[in-house]
Every structure is written in structure tokens, then in C-alpha cells.
Amino acid sequence: MGNHALLVAVAASLLPHGMKSLFDQTRPDRRTVLGHVHGISFSGKREDAFPSGHALHMGALASAVGPLPPGPRRAIRALAIGLSLTRVAVLAHWASDVVAGFALGALLE
């Protein structure tokens, strides 16, 4: 299981970088000024919105906890979804970037 977790972690780290070099999607924080008035900082490179690397990692984690008992499994999955949604809240990604990243992570695992 340890080797599997390591392999998934490495792949989840490399996959978003490779995909971001193929897709040039502008981050939402570059299209709005209103969020910055309220203290939201700019995130990452301008054209690196798709997919969300954070959500990809969280999707892999949410998928990997399948064998755990129901209580801890639900808690970890809820935390993974919540963390992924913060990427939209801080204007780092579009919702589609986060959903695609989470799904890719789950498929990757």
C-alpha cells in the first residue's frame, strides 16, 4: 500500500504540470479586480488554471480512502471536497478546473 500511495502522489504531482503546459486557461483572479480590493491575492501563473493541482491531489486522496471505515472515510472525503472548493473561493481556479482536477485525481488513484 505504501508503494501505491507513493506512486499516486508522484503521478498527482506531475500530471497537473504536464496538463498545464498543454492547456492555456486564464485564471479567474486575472479577470476581476473586485476580489483584490477585499484582499484576495493573485495566484500562480496567469495561464495555468486548468486543471487544479490541489483538487487533483484531493481527488486522489478521496479515492484512496475507500478501504477505511465509514466514519473516517466520510470525514476525509468531506475535508478533501472542502479544500478543493477553496480554490474557487480564493479565485485561483474556475469551478470547472476544480471539478476536472478532482475527477482526474480520483481516476488516477
Side-chain angles (χ1 to χ4, degrees), residues 18-105:
M19 292 186 71
K20 286 176 190 235
S21 67
L22 296 174
F23 298 99
D24 289 332
Q25 182 162 319
T26 304
R27 292 180 181 271
D29 62 8
R30 304 303 202 260
R31 296 188 180 215
T32 179
V33 176
L34 183 60
H36 303 290
V37 171
H38 299 292
I40 296 173
S41 61
F42 286 108
S43 60
K45 295 178 183 172
R46 177 181 176 83
E47 301 292 327
D48 279 355
F50 182 85
S52 168
H54 287 85
L56 198 144
H57 280 87
M58 292 298 101
L61 173 66
S63 180
V65 298
L68 292 179
R73 182 177 62 228
R74 285 187 198 117
I76 292 170
R77 285 181 175 167
L79 183 66
I81 290 168
L83 181 65
S84 296
L85 292 176
T86 65
R87 305 306 295 158
V88 177
V90 299
L91 303 176
H93 292 282
W94 301 103
S96 59
D97 303 332
V98 172
V99 170
F102 198 90
L104 283 169

